[in-house]
Amino acid sequence: MPIGSYMWKTTGRPAKCAFRRFFGTLDLHSHTRLRPVFKYLETTSAIRMHSDARVLELGCGAGTNLLELAQRFPTLTGTGYDLNDESVALATDVANRLFPTRLNFVAADARGELPRGEFDPVLLIDFLEHVAKPEAIMRVVSGLLCKGGEVLVSVPTPRFPRIFRQRFHKLAGHLVAGYDLSGLNALIPN
């Protein structure tokens, strides 16, 4: 099943509906980025998405990651935060249609108050490069993990601005050129 194939339910146009059912989301990056996340959660992760898994995602956009996880893991519950009201409204609409009571989306700044509780995992997918003080976010997030919980991070390479040009890098809202492994390790709270 293609990533985002459920989005056909959000459009009334027959051609667009058929396209989305067959190809899924138009965001090609989602098709390549999410497959390793799913594989990790299904096979490698220490938590292995147990029956009462709670997922938190910061910078959730239109909810693609949480919606896809909810499809694959029938007992998962999740909360997503994003600054974009329109994206959160779309995610909420789809979640209410497909997974009533399992997913919650909030239009809010992740630097503000986050939900209480323990999560496993916390997703930071294409998020940290948009944050001015990522180390502060990582400290907060580490306090939200359950015992054995994990933070899954996906960030662009430091070569991103050279590959896609500086103009696109700025249009995408990146505050950091990208991260290498040592840069990510430096963000882990002691």
Side-chain angles (χ1 to χ4, degrees):
M1 179 180 318
I3 303 292
S5 60
Y6 51 80
M7 292 301 284
W8 70 270
K9 295 180 180 188
T10 65
T11 183
R13 296 183 183 153
K16 195 172 184 180
C17 181
F19 182 88
R20 289 222 167 150
R21 283 182 97 163
F22 188 73
F23 292 108
T25 181
L26 299 177
D27 175 18
L28 297 178
H29 187 56
S30 291
H31 291 277
T32 57
R33 169 185 62 219
L34 289 178
R35 294 197 196 295
V37 171
F38 299 148
K39 184 175 182 181
Y40 177 79
L41 291 173
E42 291 167 347
T43 61
T44 309
S45 171
I47 57 172
R48 285 210 178 54
M49 299 308 287
H50 52 78
S51 62
D52 59 348
R54 292 184 65 214
V55 180
L56 173 66
E57 181 175 19
L58 304 183
C60 67
T64 301
N65 300 331
L66 285 174
L67 292 162
E68 288 294 326
L69 286 172
Q71 276 190 303
R72 284 164 175 73
F73 303 100
T75 58
L76 168 144
T77 59
T79 302
Y81 277 71
D82 200 275
L83 287 172
N84 187 308
D85 293 333
E86 290 177 22
S87 294
V88 168
L90 177 59
T92 299
D93 179 47
V94 175
N96 288 341
R97 292 177 194 212
L98 299 176
F99 311 107
T101 73
R102 290 185 48 210
L103 300 177
N104 179 42
F105 294 95
V106 180
D109 191 331
R111 294 172 298 179
E113 190 167 324
L114 291 172
R116 297 194 185 274
E118 296 181 331
F119 295 89
D120 48 282
V122 174
L123 304 177
L124 304 176
I125 309 295
D126 293 333
F127 174 72
L128 288 177
E129 65 273 18
H130 298 276
V131 177
K133 296 183 180 178
E135 60 281 343
I137 292 287
M138 291 298 289
R139 275 193 304 277
V140 170
V141 164
S142 68
L144 296 172
L145 292 173
C146 69
K147 184 176 181 176
E150 301 169 318
V151 178
L152 297 180
V153 176
S154 173
V155 291
T157 171
R159 290 177 276 205
F160 184 93
R162 284 183 288 181
I163 295 168
F164 293 101
R165 302 291 177 235
Q166 193 68 29
R167 183 169 178 255
F168 182 74
H169 167 68
K170 289 184 192 269
L171 281 171
H174 293 179
L175 301 178
V176 177
Y179 290 92
D180 58 17
L181 190 54
S182 65
L184 285 173
N185 283 333
L187 297 175
I188 298 172
N190 294 328

